[in-house]
Each structure stands twice: as structure tokens, then as C-alpha cells.
Amino acid sequence: MKKSVFAIFTALPLLFISQPSYAYLDPGTGAFLLQALLGGVAGILVVGRLYWAKIKGFFRRSPDKSSEPLEARSVDET
Amino acid sequence: MRPDPGSFRDPSARVYQNDGHIYRTMTPAAAEQFDAVRATGLLDELERDGWLVQTQDADPSKLDLPLENGGRVLEHERIPFISYYYEWSFSALKAAALLHLRTHLRALSKGITLKDATAYNVQFRGAQPVFIDLLSFTPYSEGAIWEGHRQFCEQFLNPLILRAILGVPHNAWCRGSMEGIDSGELSRLLPFRRKLDPKVLMHVTLLSRLQALGAGDRETTLENVSKAPVLPRDRFVRMLEKLEGWIEGLKPADIGKTVWADYECDNIYDSDERAVKHEFIARVAEQHKPGLLWDIGCNTGEFSETALKSGAGYAVGFDFDQNALDSAFARSRDKSLPLLPLFLDAANPSPNQGWNEQERGGYSSRICADCTLGLALVHHLAIGKNIPLRSVVQWLMGTAPLGVLEFVPKEDSMVRQMLALREDIFPDYTAENFESYIKEKGEIVETQQTSKSGRRLYLYKRR
């Protein structure tokens, strides 16, 4: 249910899709999310969804792994 | 025609050099985008105001350049001396950051935005920063994010914060980490109460936290939204204006006397002796009219100023003392001098580095001076850093065919001070040896004593 609601939500802005940029530069997810937050409600919801996924992951992991710092985990899996 | 080894990140354009000329080739797609930008009049305005490097169209048929069908060539004004942000003083970096933001704001008012925010897109004419990457400009679509945000923080903001909040100069860090200071690393160094400042919280701490958050994205949330309009223009503009205001107010945290900052007022020369030194430099500049002068150990830039006023064309000052550099930069800016003060540790100059160790040329790859000044410098290297005197002389003479070097003898109070707590292991540190080392590679054209303690200037000409 969550996935389809979100899919509809993200489809709306896609209707106003911006021009593909000719940028060579990776803007970085941090900057993207920060600006999304500044941009308004849509951004807040995106960040919210990412944090929710992170929290779910935190509880899903087995107890002896849960003390690992999250940042180290993401780096390992890159 | 030599391709510039630093120009490869953006595949839509390349920079080439030949015989003193700088060219930029563009793919047809890039040319189309460039035309759209040019049509708004933005580029002409920026050029006229001195914010953007002078550019004109070039005729590809007369040049031997690899070009796609429909591609275009531009020729750029030549910047007298290329420098990199890890060689800039705090003031210079701040000026460059403000130029970038103000250029971006002007562009947005005409429906144009910048694709990136790298410090390597800014060069200097004297103390005036100038934007050099014309292809960074691109038409703006409503809602599009600021793609250069991360880069701006890493190459402009964070280095400035490092000095403004922590009192640590950015040069060593940024030379090593050429692409900038990572926000996460900086955040970990900042004291907790500093992170409570909302500006720091947003652009340093939050930025790095969100980066980590996004890196953990396993459900392609980001992929689904990254093509959508994200940031309305008015908020974008406000964000840039707030950054501009913040950076305007930044000052080094460690302002206070460093070793040589008050050199101008409080040193061993009395004003007559100083006048003799100025006269000597002025005469040399008048007679030889060097197009490009290097002032190694420029301190606050007073002798560069004299040389420029007497006929030198452009001066690059080098010094190790941060406050002296900022003073020299202020002098250059306030008096509109063609003087660019840069950070240099003479015992450890910038090396060739970056991709293939060629992307950013080192100090010796940029040696091109007509005349060098090495005033009140030799003893700091020979005695202060234990570098053999002969080696110091050869290094200095290698920078230009003509130059003025100052020898400071052991009787001088400065050298006595340096040797006060040390054993004198410098038996060959004498004026006679100094002169013979100069004569190994050149002639001593003129010499003059400048202080009661026996300081002496030598005008050399390389053979």
C-alpha cells in the first residue's frame, strides 16, 4: 500500500519534468536532499521516507550488528 | 596545439593552448546551449563589468583543433598567472566565493544557472577575481536544483569556515584534498556550540548527514524523484543570498600578530635604509621594465608596489605568512594594483598534481618571471630551514633571468636571533660565498648596502 501511494505522489511532479541537464557533475545526494527540504513539503516527505527506511533497517538487523555505526555500513556496501 | 591537462572533466568542451593563445572548443550541443546563454546578454554584461574573462569567437578553419562538425571555437584572454585555490589567501578565496555567488545571482535573474561551482573556475587579475568557465552557464529550468551546491561547500565555504571558525588556514588541506574539504570531516572538527549556528547546521552538518542518509537509500527513492523540479527559484535565490551575506562577514579567527605581519612598521630598517631599498628596486624596474615580476617573500607587498609603480607590468607575490598575505591582498585591492599575492612555502612549493599528476601544474611548471625579488628571504631558507646556501641561490636564480637578491649577514640582529638558541652550523654562510654562488650562473650587475648591519642587495643577470 505504501509503495503505490508514494508512486502516485512522485508521479505528479514527474508530469512537470524538467529539461535534462547537460551537467557532468554529481551534485551529491546530500545537497539534493537539503535543497529538497528547502523546496517544500515534497522534499520533507522524501527525506522522511528515507529516514523511515533507515529506522526500519535499524530494527531489522540482528542484535549483535545493531551497534555498528550506520555510516560505516553504507560505505561497506557501496 | 596543446590540450590543457586540467580540462577534461566536462566532455562538452576542451581548452587548448598555443603560442600564448587560449582556445576553447565546444561540441555542437554545447554550442547550442552557449548561444542560448549568450542571447540573454548576460555574458556581455559580466565581461564588461570585469567579472568574466574576455572572450571572442575564433575561426576554426585557421586553427588546427579537433572539432566535431558544427562545433565551435572561442578564444579567451590570457590570465597573467594561473593560480589555484590552495595557493590563495583567505581574502582571495573569500573574494572568489563572493564573485561566484554574485555571478550566479545575476545569471538567475536572466533565467540562466551555473552547472557547477568549482574554485578552479575562478582566476585572478591582480586582486580581482574573474570567472573563466563560460560553459558553466546553462539555461535554468524552474525548480532545478543547484548542482554545484556540494562543490561550492567543499571548495569555497568549508575552507573559509576552517579559517573563520577554527583559525586554521585552508592551504595545506586543500592542496592535499584538491577537490575540497569534505563536509562530514569539517563537521566532526567543529565545536558543538558552533554547530548550533543554523547556517553551519544547514550547510555543513545537515549536508553531510543527508549525504550519509542518501547513500543508504536501498529503495530507489531518490531515482524516482531526482528528475522532478525540487527547488523553487525564489528559495534558490534566497539560499544564495543568505550564503553571500554569511561569507561577506567571515573573518579569520586567528587575527593577531603572526611572525612578520607588523614587519612594515617594526623591523630593523630605519626609514632611510628602507628608502634606499625602495630606490634600488624602483631603478631596476624602471631600467628593465619586467613584464612579469615575482616577489618571493613579498610580505605586505610594499616592494612589489614600488616595482609596479616604476615600470613592472604585473607582480605575483609569494609569502608564507597568512596575515602578511591578507595585507598584501588588501593593498592590491585598495590601490588597484596588478599584484596577486599567493601562499607559498618556498621549502615545499605546490607540486604537479591531480589526474596523471598533470591536472594542476606545480610551481615550477609555472615559472615564467622576467624578474625576481628575493628580499629578506635567503636567511630564512639557509638558516631557518637549513637549506644549503648555494642551493637557495640556484633556486632563486632559476626563477627569472634577472633579479634582486638580498643577503642578510650573521651580524644582523635577525640572524643573530635565529642562531641564539642554536649551534652555528653554517660556516659557509658569508657574503663572499653568496657572491661566488651568484657568479656560478650569472653576473652581479650592481650591489648596494642597505642597512648598518650589513644587509646588501645584489642585482644579478643570468648568463
Side-chain angles (χ1 to χ4, degrees), chain A residues 3 6 10 13-14 16-19 21-40 46-47 49-51 53-54 56 71 74 77, chain B residues 9-11 33 115-116 118 141 145-151 202 206-207 210-215 217-219 221-222 224-232 235 239:
Chain A
K3 274 207 161 82
F6 196 74
T10 52
L14 286 173
F16 307 100
I17 199 160
S18 50
Q19 292 245 345
S21 70
Y22 293 103
Y24 68 95
L25 182 68
D26 168 19
T29 46
F32 175 82
L33 290 172
L34 181 59
Q35 292 175 48
L37 281 178
L38 283 178
V46 170
V47 174
R49 179 167 171 82
L50 285 170
Y51 262 116
K54 178 171 162 173
K56 278 196 300 190
E71 271 123 60
S74 356
E77 290 177 20
Chain B
R9 296 285 164 100
D10 184 348
Q33 179 198 286
K115 282 194 232 173
D116 57 13
T118 165
S141 334
I145 60 163
W146 180 20
E147 286 172 357
H149 188 180
R150 176 188 61 84
Q151 214 172 33
M202 178 156 104
L206 192 55
L207 191 63
L210 290 172
Q211 179 72 31
L213 179 69
D217 176 24
R218 300 276 164 263
E219 295 172 43
T221 308
L222 286 173
N224 290 334
V225 286
S226 66
K227 296 284 180 288
V230 167
L231 183 67
R235 299 209 187 179
M239 176 168 66

Side-chain angles (χ1 to χ4, degrees), chain B residues 201-256:
Chain B
L201 193 59
M202 178 156 104
H203 292 286
V204 184
T205 305
L206 192 55
L207 191 63
S208 72
R209 292 300 175 108
L210 290 172
Q211 179 72 31
L213 179 69
D217 176 24
R218 300 276 164 263
E219 295 172 43
T220 67
T221 308
L222 286 173
E223 214 175 301
N224 290 334
V225 286
S226 66
K227 296 284 180 288
V230 167
L231 183 67
R233 189 167 105 160
D234 60 327
R235 299 209 187 179
F236 186 2
V237 167
R238 202 158 65 215
M239 176 168 66
L240 294 179
E241 285 172 346
K242 289 213 168 124
L243 273 173
E244 183 193 0
W246 182 19
I247 289 177
E248 265 271 23
L250 289 178
K251 277 192 276 286
D254 58 326
I255 287 252

Side-chain angles (χ1 to χ4, degrees), chain A residues 56-67:
Chain A
K56 278 196 300 190
F58 188 77
F59 285 112
R60 231 181 257 136
R61 271 174 304 158
S62 57
D64 58 336
K65 265 193 179 175
S66 63
S67 55

